[in-house]
Amino acid sequence: MRVLVAEDERDLAALVATGLRRAGFAVDTVHDGEGALELMGLYGGPGEPVGPGEPVGPRAAPAPAGPPRGSSAVPDEPLGPFVYDVLVLDRDLPRVHGDDVARRVGAAGSRTRILMLTAATAVDDRVEGLDLGADDYLGKPFEFPELVSRVRALRRRSARPALPPLLERYGLAMDTVRRTARRDGRDLDLSPKEFTVLQILLEADGAAVPAEELLERAWDAHADPFTGAVRVCMSKLRAKIGEPGLIRTVQGVGYVL
């Protein structure tokens, strides 16, 4: 599931992103509000106001284009726009304040849920953040298991319709809160990526899921679409699920559970 972390403290952003990836999320990071809006496809250009706050000023000259995907180097910022399930948003961001980012996301009718992560923890601050459009509010410092749990809860709420924490189909039972998966009572020892892919297939409720959608939702923005990552992950997942096979490949369409 796709998460965007907007945090100007780079070490903290890297820490949060690493932890969320270990929990099975695909994570992109930015370090200013303008970058967050750009990745979400909500930034219309220099001088465009994003809400009741100050207009967005002209962005600094862009860095030279990064190497193509598949090269050994990784660009500093991912390409966009992308659809995110959850935005972990620091309020005190440069270039565009986090409050203005929250206003813009809400005004756009985005399904992305917002978790404000900030050092401003007074009651008035929390009330103001929620009134701006945040779905949840977590103060710094925080306990990482709580952050992961809140992101998972928001991700379930971002789905249409909202998803139950327990998903079942053809003898497969997945608890998305406890992060466990079983088939006919047998535990499946899934990696975080395999768990995420199986969750997407279960949520599709019998509909085919294209490989491109799996790549978009389960891998981060720097994933090389030509590596066969989805195919390799699907092969491992099928082996762990066992016989009789439950995941079908529909030629030219995608994967069906």
Side-chain angles (χ1 to χ4, degrees), residues 37-54:
L37 291 174
E38 286 179 340
L39 276 190
M40 299 178 73
L42 299 178
Y43 177 66
E48 178 186 276
V50 296
E54 294 297 321

Side-chain angles (χ1 to χ4, degrees), residues 72-96:
S72 58
V74 177
D76 289 337
E77 293 188 4
L79 303 175
F82 299 103
V83 176
Y84 293 97
D85 297 293
V86 178
L87 168 62
V88 179
L89 178 67
D90 180 26
R91 285 190 74 175
D92 193 20
L93 290 175
R95 302 206 58 82
V96 178

Side-chain angles (χ1 to χ4, degrees), residues 2 26-28 39 69 77-79 82 84 219-224:
R2 202 69 173 264
V27 185
D28 299 324
L39 276 190
R69 294 184 183 183
E77 293 188 4
L79 303 175
F82 299 103
Y84 293 97
W219 278 262
D220 64 28
H222 298 302
D224 187 341

Side-chain angles (χ1 to χ4, degrees), residues 20 24 67 130 135 150:
L20 290 174
L130 294 171
D135 299 279
R150 287 173 182 257

Side-chain angles (χ1 to χ4, degrees), residues 79-257:
L79 303 175
F82 299 103
V83 176
Y84 293 97
D85 297 293
V86 178
L87 168 62
V88 179
L89 178 67
D90 180 26
R91 285 190 74 175
D92 193 20
L93 290 175
R95 302 206 58 82
V96 178
H97 196 274
D99 291 356
D100 286 330
V101 174
R103 291 187 185 102
R104 186 54 177 270
V105 172
S110 172
R111 75 170 198 173
T112 301
R113 301 292 183 174
I114 299 174
L115 170 60
M116 278 191 171
L117 186 64
T118 175
T121 58
V123 172
D124 288 347
D125 294 317
R126 295 198 301 270
V127 170
E128 183 181 15
L130 294 171
D131 285 346
L132 286 167
D135 299 279
D136 201 355
Y137 197 104
L138 183 61
K140 301 175 185 175
F142 57 89
E143 296 294 332
F144 206 85
E146 181 180 6
L147 171 66
V148 172
S149 179
R150 287 173 182 257
V151 170
R152 285 178 180 153
L154 289 177
R155 192 269 150 188
R156 290 194 300 272
R157 288 167 53 189
S158 73
R160 297 290 187 271
L163 294 168
L166 184 63
L167 303 171
E168 295 183 272
R169 189 176 182 87
Y170 300 137
L172 286 171
M174 172 176 284
D175 188 324
T176 62
V177 175
R178 294 181 173 84
R179 300 289 291 177
T180 60
R182 301 166 66 87
R183 181 180 184 182
D184 297 327
R186 173 175 60 88
D187 288 331
L188 302 178
D189 184 19
L190 303 180
S191 70
K193 193 69 67 183
E194 292 160 358
F195 189 97
T196 298
V197 169
L198 181 58
Q199 182 177 346
I200 293 171
L201 293 175
L202 282 166
E203 290 172 355
D205 197 25
V209 181
E212 293 80 5
E213 181 178 342
L214 290 171
L215 191 67
E216 168 76 14
R217 295 176 60 188
W219 278 262
D220 64 28
H222 298 302
D224 187 341
F226 303 107
T227 59
V230 174
R231 176 178 51 79
V232 172
C233 181
M234 199 64 68
S235 177
K236 293 179 179 179
L237 183 57
R238 282 169 164 154
K240 291 183 178 182
I241 290 175
E243 297 295 336
L246 296 179
I247 301 174
R248 294 187 297 111
T249 300
V250 181
Q251 195 65 32
V253 179
Y255 299 94
V256 178
L257 179 64

